[in-house]
Structure formats: structure tokens, C-alpha cells
Amino acid sequence: MKASKSSPFRFVLGALAASFALVSAGATAQEILTSRAPNREQLLIEGARKEGQVVLYSAAIVNQALRPMAAAFMKKYPFVKLTYWRGDTEEIVAKLSAEVRAKNVVADLVEGTGVGELAVEAGLTVPFTTPAADELPEQYRDPRGNWVSTRISYFGIAYNTRLVPPDQVPKSYDDLLDPRWKGKLAWRIGTSSGTPLFLTGIRLARGEEEAARYFDKLSEQKIVNFGSGSARTLVDRVIAGEFPIALNIFAHHPLISKAKGAPVNSQLLEPVNTTAGTMVVPKGVKHPHAAMLLADFIVSKEGQEIFAKAEYFPVRTDVAPLEVLAPIVPKTAGVKELFVSSETLNRYTESSQKIFEDKFR
Amino acid sequence: MTTQSDEAPRPGVMFPGLRLPDALRISPLVLILIAILLVLIVPPVIFLVNASFHETLPDGSSGAFTLRFYRQLVSGRFFLPSLANTMIYACGSAAIAIFIGTVQALIVERTNAPGRKLAFLAAIISLGVPHVLYTVAWLLLLGRAGPVNDLIKTLFDQHQALNVYSLWGMMLIEGVGFVPLTFLLMSAVLRSTDASFEEAAMMSGASPMRAFRDITLRMALPALCGLTLLIFVKAFESFEVPALVGLAGNVSVITTMIYQSSRRAGSPDYGEAGAYSICLVVILFFLIVWQNRLSQNAQRYQTITGKGFRPRLIDLGPWRFAASAVLIGLFLAVTVVPVGMLVFTSFLPFYEGVTLDSFSRMALDNYALLIGPGSFRDSIVNTLVLGAATATLVVPFTALCAWLVVRRAPGAAMLDQIAAVPLIFPAIILSVAFLDVFVNMSIPLYGTLLSVIIASSVRYLPYGMRYAFAGTMQIHSDLEEAATISGATRARIFFRVLVPLLASALISSWLLIFLLSTQAVSLPLLLVGPGSEVMSVTLFELWQNGQVTELAAMGVLWIALMTMVSVAFHMLTRRHQMAV
């Protein structure tokens, strides 16, 4: 049991609570995390009652997702205080690795896109089991129990409806090679869900040789490198008319703006790159009982409905995404989907980044 | 503060130690200050040096020794073009900022142009605008679909007239962005320069231009050099403008090059960024040594003596209205237009250029979202505490350091050099370094607001230093000598003679550091824990996930809040008879 250093008060409280919890349950933290005992939930609730708190690090939006998630969780388990810290993938990994190395772990559960596999590979996590994961499609859970998916993202292109006539909208990756789009395409660089994901998707779908030929042609389009700012702000620039077309953006963002009357729409290209956010448990977790209650809750129907309302795509098949977003779910649209797990993306990122630097920079 | 050292001050000599042949002699006070600085600055420096010479393992710890990052830095095919771009960009931005800022400061401090004092308000409003938003506002304005290009297209019937995504666009946006800072610093300098020399020159028949060139400019030279250095380095290490403007136009500079390389793999890798920072530290070290030599003869520039020193104003006659027009023009360009652009955008559901249609769509939705639970309300107290504490720590500390440096206390030159080091750390590197320091501390500081305050005090030390330095340089030692003769201790001299003379510079410095530290994003982001968030972190979240229109609304609220704080501060100090 490592001592928390975040505050002397928390240190004493945390140490006391944790040791009580362990004594009463008679189990190590790892046993709790991977418990499949029939009375698991009962044990977790008793333990969490003593732990009294749980800390979530997440990349989800605070107002629409984390805040309602915390409120609903604390309504269900009023004896656990849920606090959260929000950062992007890069920040989450930096903070998590610093905490684990210093054996001063504040986070109990870590959720985000691209965080999972990075953290697992770096040895920053421990395996865990949540029964709710059994209800998810197979690709959304790790057979070794290191991570469980929490939400899905579909990628597509955004186009300005004033600048791109309906009959000219690119419908396939090859349509992007049309000379009329030279200098008119933009994409987001500097993050693994940006250019590396786009390039990796093509490599996976077409094989290296054909992909290389495609990239040679694509590089002649002189794509604008959108350097700083989110995929969302890139869509905003398409709306503003700065760029007629943006590649590799979250396909639901244009739909949300379109519903407000903005001159923008999204188009799926086959196969649709799909990624999933995941959650992991850090090594040296201080509140294992409460962490497991929270993990259960996030993939429960109730938790997934909160994500769905926050404009995310749920991992559960029995929770539907927002109606306005349904058109870009590949299954609904009848378009083939290419699931790029964070493990795959992580493996390809460095080489895709090199392709970017050689051909597109 | 050690007020009484072993040696009693002799009349006319501030630091008797200077007379001793032993060059290594350091006054005890300086020693204490150096020790404080080292404690604050050495840990992140060690982290950087370490990162630059070692492989970063996937879990963030350091692996085998390597020189690969330095090799990569120098041998990369982007290095030389990027370095050239960086130099042009940093020089250009500094030139624009210094030129406009100096003109503005001259008009405000030296002439009787009507309404000139409002320039301070304008500068403070601009300083309250987070840099990222300021850049976005300029891009909305000058971008391909912006009103400026629309106008040019209509007037000249050209397909596309302006491409802001270019070196000149970067220099313009960055340079204009620094105008409020240069203006405030330059007016601090001018305010403490005796205008009687200029008057004497003009009485003897010199034209105002000549008086300006031969007297004003020369007297302000050391301070001006320091300021130029500050802006140059600031632009050199700036990130927002190169990333938003430069990358989109394929203009690569050093910072964006590092950014791209540090994001090459998925996991954190600070090696190349570390190598780059170390190179910059070395360059900066030489620049500061050079600047120190330049100000070696600082005595020649001391103009605040025992006699009345408040400068008198030059009567411009009818030209004073032209001077006011220049100020108004600058106010429009530097503050009104970009802030106006943000205000306009903040009321829209989406931005598609300045069109008549847009006006009919205006609504308060974005504000409703922000004022709702959370966001602002949770973090406002933390933010104000952070800004006030940082400024309150930095200002007196740097005033004392600057005084010792200017008075050439033995060893004090080192203070200046050490205090300038944080300037060249890219903020993201500094925050990772501090994260590493705090999370490993046995004192439970990690995740607390106090840790953010300590880190941002270090980050903004150099700004406080420049301000205090500019002010102190021109205070003649005869006042302090007079006090010494009358038996005052050094502490008494510092507090009763120096601080009142410096008051206006120190107050501006306080406000500046307050404004800068409250809007810093990457520094607090990694250091705060759940519950100790500050507002800029919320801003960052919006930046990552939000729409441009929501960001604009957040910016407008922010500017309003910062303006309120500044105005309140202004009124408070005025009541105490201190001009800001």
C-alpha cells in the first residue's frame, strides 16, 4: 500500500480506508479488480463505502459528459465522492506515467481515446474485470483484461455545402485525387487521431504498396496541414469557408452544426475509420473497489446513455446514439467500417508519421 | 532580507564588498537570492538536460544515454530552413512590436495628445485576451473567408488577394500581439527618464525628431535592448502563431518542428524538445551576457536624481490631435478589431464570415452554455488566487534582484542570468518538468494550487525582471547614497527610497504578471488535480473540444473579467496616489 501524497489529510484517510477495506474483504487490490465472485457487487459496495472516494482521469467533455456521469454515479452510490480531471491523450499519459513512476497514484480509473494501449504497453496499468464488458461486441474488450472500450468515434470528411456542389462531393478515397481539390483539402496533424489515423487506415485497407502509390498521388494535392486546434475547430474553419474540405474529422461534428443551419455536411468514405475510447486501471490504484464500481457504471446501460446524450457513440448495442447522428453510423449508412484499435494505431503511428513527413510536409 | 551584513556600508558606496580585490566575493543577500532561484530553477533544468541526453522509455522514465537528439536536431533536413524562418519571424515580430509600442509609449508619456491615458486601458484589455484566441481572431479577420479578403475581392475583383498563412502573416499577428507588452514596458522606461534633457536639446534648436533620436532613444537604449531581447526570445519560443498560422502555410519554425517531432510516436518523448531547449538556453546565455556588457555603463543612463524627476510633456500644438489619431488607430488595430471579431463570433451559432445573414442569427446560446453550472464558476476563485499570488511573489522578488543587479552588488550579474532561464523553456516542457518534480516530492504539493503558483512564479520571473530592471536602471544612486549618509539601513533604503520611486513600474509589473499567469494553459493543466482547476484549463478544454463560437464567448467573458480586475486595481492604486 503506497501512501498518497496529494494532501496529508487524504493520505491518512486514504491509507486508513484502504487498509480497512482490504482487511474486511480479505483480498489484495488485484484480487478485487479481477474478482468474478458471485457476491462481487456486494464486496465492491462495502469496500467502496470505506474508500469513500474515486478519481477519474478522462478525455471526455466536462460539461456534457463528465459532470452528468459524476452526478448519476454519486446518486447511485452516495457514499463515494467522484472527482475528475480532464486532459487530452498526451496530457493524460504524461500525468499517469509520472504518477506511476513516483508511486504516487491519484487516478483510480483512466478513460480516453488512444490512452489505453499506450498505458498498457508502458506497463502503467493492471488488468481488471467488469462483468458489463461481457455484453459488448468482442472488438471492444481486451481478452487479457487490460482495457475495456467506452465510446466509439467514426471518421469521415467535412465539406462546405456552398463551396462543394452536391454532385462533386468526394464519395471515395480516390475521388480525393481529383485535381479540382488541389490546395483545397485540409487535415489535422500533430495527434495520432489526425494524419496517422488517416494514413494507417489506407495502409490497412489497401496494403503497403498500393497505399504508397495512393499517397504519392495524394501528396500532389498539397493538403493544408492544420497544426493546432481540435478536429472540431477544423470543421469550424470549413464552415467559415477557409477550406472547402477537411479530411479525417469526427463524422458527427458537421451533422451537429448542420442541424443549426451551418453550410456543412459530412461524408463517409469506405472503409470508415473507426476508433474506440478505452478505460484502464493504473498500477498502484488507491481505491480499487470504487474504481470497479465506476468501471461497471461507465459501460452499464445507464452510463452509456449519458455518453450518448453527450454526442458520443455508445459501445453497447442496446443503447442508440442521438438520432441526429445516426446517419453516419456505418452500419446504418450501409458502408463498410474499418476498426482501428488503439493497439493497431499505436503500432502504425510512428511509420505513418514518417510517411507524412516524407510526402506531405 | 539580510539587512545588516558584517560590513557597515560606507557613505557613497552601496556595496563595500565590490572594493575588495577578491573577485569571487558575493554579498550575502545576493547569495540568498541566488540560492532561492537555483532551488526553483535547477530541478526543471536537470529534467531537461536529462531528457535531452537519454532515450525516453514508454513509461516516461529515461533509458540509455544518447546524443541522437542533438544529432537529429542539427542533421534534420528541416533544421536550417526552420532556423532561418525562426530568425526572420522573431526579428520581424520584435521589430513590429518595438516600433509600434515605442511610438505609442512616446505619445502617451511625452506629449499632450488628448485622451492618451486611455491607451493603458486598451493595452490592459488586449493583455487579457488569451493568445490562442487573439490569433484565432486575427485569422477570422484576415483568413481566406474573412472580411478583409472579401473587401479586397469586391474592390479589386481578384480571386484571392491576401494569404495570411505566410511569414508576413505570422510576423504581423505575433508582432501586433506583443504591442501592449512593449507599450507598457516602454512607458515604464520613459516615465522614469528625465525629460529635461530633451527640453534642453529642443531649446538649443534641435528638432523634436533630433531630440528623440539623440536624447530619448539613447537614454532608453539599455532598457530598449533588454526589451527587444525579451520580445525576440518570446517570439523565438512562441507556439500559437507558428502552429495556427505557420503550419497551415507550410512555414516551419523551430517550435513547430519540435512539436511535430515530439508527437511522432504516440507516447511522450521529450528528448528532442529537451535538446532544443538546452540549445536555446545556451544562445540566451550569450545574449544576456552581451546585454549586460551593453548596460555596463548604466550610470550614464541614470536620470532620476534627487531633483524633481517627473517628466514634463511636450506641447505638440495642433499636431496633438494627429497624435491622438495615431493612438486611436492603434487602439482599433490592436484591441478593437480582434476583440470585436471575438464578440461578433461569440453571438453566432456558427461562423461563416461577416455576412448580413449572420446578424439575424445572433443569439446568447454560447453564453448560456458557459454561465451554466461548472466551467467558469468552479474555478474562478482558484484563478484569482493563482494570479494574485504569482504576481505578489514575483514583483518584490524581482525588484530586489534588479536593484542588486543594477547597483552591481558582487555576484548580482548571475541573478539576472539565472532569472532569465525560464524564458526559453517551452511552456509544455516546463510543465512536464514541474510535474516530475512535484509528483516525486515528499511534501504533499502535487495536485495543489500551491504547486501551480510556484511553477508560474518561475515561469514569469523573467517578465518581472525586465520590468523592474527597466525601472531601476534609471534611478540614480545619489538618492540611495543620501539615505545611506543619513544612516538608513539597506532594507530601509530599499523600502523607503527605491520602492516608492519604482512604484508605478512595479504596479504595472504586478498587473502584467497577474494577467499572464491567469491565462497560461499548459503549465497548470498537468499540475492541477481534481478540484484545483483554474479557468484557463476550462478554456483549453473548449479549445480542444469546443466550437469556435463557444471559444469566442469564453474569450469575451474572460476579457470582461480581466478588464474588471484591471480597472478595479487601477482605481485602488489611484486612491493611494500611485499612477499606473
Side-chain angles (χ1 to χ4, degrees):
Chain A
M1 176 71 219
K2 291 292 170 196
S4 157
K5 292 176 191 167
S6 50
S7 82
F9 178 68
R10 190 191 274 180
F11 161 69
V12 174
L13 221 86
L16 272 178
S19 48
F20 267 120
L22 289 177
V23 169
S24 69
T28 65
Q30 193 53 57
E31 279 164 13
I32 297 158
L33 294 174
T34 47
S35 164
R36 279 193 175 271
N39 62 340
R40 173 179 177 273
E41 186 160 7
Q42 196 50 42
L43 288 177
L44 290 184
I45 288 176
E46 274 170 33
R49 201 183 287 276
K50 283 158 194 154
E51 288 167 355
Q53 58 166 310
V54 64
V55 180
L56 172 67
Y57 285 5
S58 171
I61 303 177
V62 171
N63 263 344
Q64 287 100 309
L66 294 181
R67 202 180 297 278
M69 187 70 83
F73 179 78
M74 288 194 280
K75 199 171 165 211
K76 190 164 182 190
Y77 306 106
F79 44 87
V80 183
K81 184 172 164 40
L82 167 61
T83 53
Y84 48 79
W85 171 83
R86 198 249 156 222
D88 255 38
T89 306
E90 283 79 11
E91 286 97 34
I92 293 181
V93 173
K95 205 166 163 83
L96 181 66
S97 65
E99 288 183 6
V100 173
R101 264 182 291 131
K103 299 194 165 58
N104 181 9
V105 178
V106 174
D108 293 311
L109 194 68
V110 180
E111 193 270 351
T113 309
V115 176
E117 194 54 39
L118 279 178
V120 171
E121 200 164 284
L124 302 172
T125 65
V126 286
F128 67 100
T129 312
T130 166
D134 299 344
E135 298 158 32
L136 305 182
E138 210 168 313
Q139 63 188 16
Y140 297 143
R141 52 197 151 95
D142 178 25
R144 294 155 298 167
N146 286 317
W147 52 263
V148 171
S149 295
T150 51
R151 50 196 161 103
I152 308 171
S153 305
Y154 301 110
F155 290 80
I157 63 169
Y159 62 93
N160 185 305
T161 49
R162 294 214 174 109
L163 301 174
V164 181
D167 57 318
Q168 290 182 6
V169 177
K171 301 272 191 322
S172 70
Y173 288 100
D174 288 316
D175 287 351
L176 297 175
L177 303 176
D178 192 316
R180 73 158 71 97
W181 304 128
K182 189 166 182 169
K184 296 193 169 160
L185 308 171
W187 62 8
R188 195 165 52 110
I189 63 170
T191 168
S192 60
S193 65
T195 41
L197 174 64
F198 182 87
L199 301 175
T200 302
I202 305 248
R203 289 167 68 194
L204 290 172
R206 305 192 169 197
E208 295 293 344
E209 270 177 43
E210 204 188 316
R213 276 197 294 278
Y214 178 78
F215 296 148
D216 282 336
K217 286 184 219 149
L218 189 64
S219 69
E220 281 163 27
Q221 297 294 60
K222 302 277 169 242
I223 303 176
V224 176
N225 295 321
F226 187 73
S228 166
S230 62
R232 174 68 244 191
T233 42
L234 178 54
V235 172
D236 288 334
R237 303 287 273 283
V238 172
I239 296 172
E242 287 279 294
F243 316 116
I245 296 176
L247 311 181
N248 195 50
I249 44 85
F250 291 93
H252 62 283
H253 285 157
L255 295 185
I256 293 165
S257 294
K258 186 186 162 199
K260 287 186 198 165
V264 71
N265 204 351
S266 61
Q267 171 70 43
L268 298 174
L269 305 181
E270 192 165 73
V272 179
N273 286 341
T274 307
T275 63
T278 50
M279 57 181 174
V280 293
V281 176
K283 193 188 270 178
V285 56
K286 296 264 167 50
H287 312 106
H289 296 90
M292 282 305 95
L293 281 186
L294 180 57
D296 292 355
F297 187 75
I298 288 176
V299 278
S300 72
K301 202 165 176 204
E302 199 181 348
Q304 287 290 296
E305 270 162 4
I306 292 171
F307 268 165
K309 246 187 239 158
E311 299 166 357
Y312 292 118
F313 292 90
V315 278
R316 289 181 76 100
T317 42
D318 56 353
V319 178
L322 282 188
E323 209 170 307
V324 59
L325 306 183
I328 57 109
V329 176
K331 224 177 265 165
T332 320
V335 186
K336 216 167 70 188
E337 137 183 11
L338 175 70
F339 181 69
V340 184
S341 71
S342 62
E343 189 175 3
T344 312
L345 183 57
N346 194 31
R347 215 170 44 237
Y348 277 79
T349 290
E350 197 157 351
S351 48
S352 289
Q353 190 67 26
K354 191 163 180 329
I355 294 174
F356 165 73
E357 281 183 15
D358 292 344
K359 296 191 175 162
F360 297 98
R361 198 172 141 183
Chain B
M1 203 179 130
T2 58
T3 53
Q4 292 294 339
S5 57
D6 45 341
E7 65 241 331
R10 271 168 283 161
V13 184
M14 263 325 290
F15 296 97
L18 195 62
R19 292 224 170 138
L20 292 178
D22 186 359
L24 292 174
R25 196 183 171 86
I26 294 178
S27 101
L29 176 57
V30 172
L31 210 59
I32 292 172
L33 292 175
I34 289 182
I36 295 176
L37 277 177
L38 287 180
V39 166
L40 290 173
I41 292 168
V42 165
V45 172
I46 290 178
F47 175 87
L48 268 185
V49 174
N50 195 45
S52 75
F53 284 111
H54 293 88
E55 300 285 349
T56 310
L57 298 181
D59 72 345
S61 60
S62 55
F65 177 85
T66 179
L67 285 173
R68 142 177 110 85
F69 300 117
Y70 289 91
R71 256 201 323 270
Q72 272 172 12
L73 199 67
V74 182
S75 65
R77 75 188 150 101
F78 296 110
F79 183 70
L80 283 179
S82 299
L83 190 65
N85 281 340
T86 312
M87 293 305 287
I88 299 171
Y89 161 65
C91 288
S93 315
I96 291 173
I98 298 279
F99 177 74
I100 302 180
T102 307
V103 167
Q104 205 180 355
L106 273 173
I107 295 175
V108 171
E109 292 296 333
R110 281 294 191 266
T111 72
N112 59 346
R116 60 189 182 282
K117 290 288 176 198
L118 288 177
F120 286 106
L121 186 66
I124 281 162
I125 295 174
S126 315
L127 278 176
V129 186
H131 207 55
V132 171
L133 283 181
Y134 192 82
T135 312
V136 170
W138 275 104
L139 288 180
L140 292 177
L141 193 73
L142 298 177
R144 294 181 204 181
V148 173
N149 264 330
D150 277 352
L151 194 69
I152 293 176
K153 275 182 220 164
T154 339
L155 287 181
F156 303 103
D157 196 31
Q158 275 177 338
H159 180 58
Q160 194 187 319
L162 284 182
N163 179 19
V164 70
Y165 300 100
S166 56
L167 255 180
W168 73 258
M170 291 165 67
M171 288 192 280
L172 183 75
I173 296 175
E174 185 79 7
V176 170
F178 278 127
V179 165
L181 184 65
T182 47
F183 162 67
L184 287 178
L185 283 160
M186 269 320 281
S187 26
V189 171
L190 288 175
R191 201 174 314 150
S192 50
T193 313
D194 193 340
S196 60
F197 295 105
E198 293 156 33
E199 284 167 26
M202 289 205 277
M203 296 273 241
S204 322
S207 66
M209 265 323 283
R210 175 136 188 240
F212 166 72
R213 198 186 64 215
D214 289 353
I215 310 283
T216 319
L217 206 59
R218 290 208 176 183
M219 289 209 299
L221 196 61
L224 197 62
C225 284
L227 184 55
T228 311
L229 188 65
L230 179 84
I231 304 291
F232 177 83
V233 175
K234 204 68 204 107
F236 205 94
E237 63 105 30
S238 68
F239 177 70
E240 287 91 347
V241 170
L244 279 164
V245 188
L247 282 179
N250 275 329
V251 181
S252 172
V253 298
I254 302 271
T255 39
T256 49
M257 195 179 91
I258 299 302
Y259 170 75
Q260 286 183 288
S261 81
S262 73
R263 298 285 178 111
R264 193 175 293 143
S267 47
D269 182 357
Y270 307 109
E272 203 165 323
Y276 146 83
S277 301
I278 298 296
C279 292
L280 274 186
V281 171
V282 173
I283 296 175
L284 190 80
F285 175 80
F286 285 111
L287 282 174
I288 290 182
V289 169
W290 169 75
Q291 191 220 338
N292 268 351
R293 291 181 70 117
L294 199 80
S295 57
Q296 203 113 62
N297 308 316
Q299 252 178 4
R300 284 182 11 215
Y301 302 98
Q302 294 167 346
T303 58
I304 298 183
T305 59
K307 50 189 177 138
F309 80 95
R310 287 287 177 196
R312 267 158 285 169
L313 301 175
I314 298 166
D315 189 352
L316 289 178
W319 285 101
R320 65 183 188 277
F321 296 106
S324 293
V326 171
L327 286 185
I328 291 169
L330 287 176
F331 178 58
L332 286 175
V334 175
T335 311
V336 175
V337 171
V339 172
M341 207 61 204
L342 286 179
V343 172
F344 172 73
T345 310
S346 72
F347 288 108
L348 300 175
F350 52 88
Y351 173 83
E352 51 160 349
V354 182
T355 58
L356 280 179
D357 281 1
S358 320
F359 286 93
S360 63
R361 276 196 292 266
M362 284 188 154
L364 288 168
D365 294 359
N366 296 319
Y367 289 96
L369 181 84
L370 291 172
I371 294 174
S375 303
F376 258 134
R377 293 198 305 210
D378 287 359
S379 48
I380 190 162
V381 174
N382 282 343
T383 306
L384 296 178
V385 169
L386 166 68
T390 304
T392 310
L393 284 175
V394 168
V395 168
F397 186 81
T398 51
L400 185 59
C401 287
W403 181 50
L404 294 168
V405 173
V406 170
R407 288 293 172 264
R408 315 218 145 259
M414 260 189 285
L415 281 176
D416 196 22
Q417 275 152 24
I418 302 172
V421 168
L423 193 61
I424 58 281
F425 290 138
I428 185 70
I429 292 295
L430 194 67
S431 61
V432 173
F434 269 114
L435 169 68
D436 209 62
V437 170
F438 286 122
V439 79
N440 282 297
M441 261 189 178
S442 49
I443 319 163
L445 272 182
Y446 174 59
T448 61
L449 191 60
L450 184 59
S451 69
V452 188
I453 293 171
I454 294 172
S456 58
S457 298
V458 171
R459 172 131 179 93
Y460 295 105
L461 261 180
Y463 295 83
M465 243 355 228
R466 283 311 112 194
Y467 243 115
F469 203 69
T472 324
M473 184 111 66
Q474 285 162 324
I475 297 179
H476 199 284
S477 52
D478 64 358
L479 292 168
E480 293 151 47
E481 281 158 16
T484 312
I485 295 169
S486 322
T489 61
R490 256 188 262 166
R492 203 174 156 82
I493 295 172
F494 180 72
F495 287 111
R496 299 302 296 272
V497 179
L498 201 79
V499 170
L501 285 172
L502 272 179
S504 63
L506 296 186
I507 290 166
S508 313
S509 170
W510 194 95
L511 197 54
L512 173 76
I513 292 169
F514 176 88
L515 292 174
L516 290 178
S517 58
T518 47
Q519 59 170 265
V521 168
S522 42
L523 197 59
L525 184 64
L526 283 178
L527 296 177
V528 295
S532 65
E533 281 96 351
V534 291
M535 279 156 67
S536 55
V537 173
T538 314
L539 182 72
F540 185 71
E541 192 210 333
L542 262 186
W543 173 244
Q544 292 295 333
N545 292 318
Q547 303 174 23
V548 160
T549 50
E550 293 165 6
L551 257 175
M554 174 90 180
V556 171
L557 283 185
W558 184 289
I559 296 162
L561 180 75
M562 288 303 142
T563 309
M564 270 175 345
V565 170
S566 306
V567 169
F569 193 77
H570 205 86
M571 281 157 65
L572 203 73
T573 50
R574 184 168 286 175
R575 263 180 53 192
H576 292 90
Q577 308 281 309
M578 290 181 286
V580 179

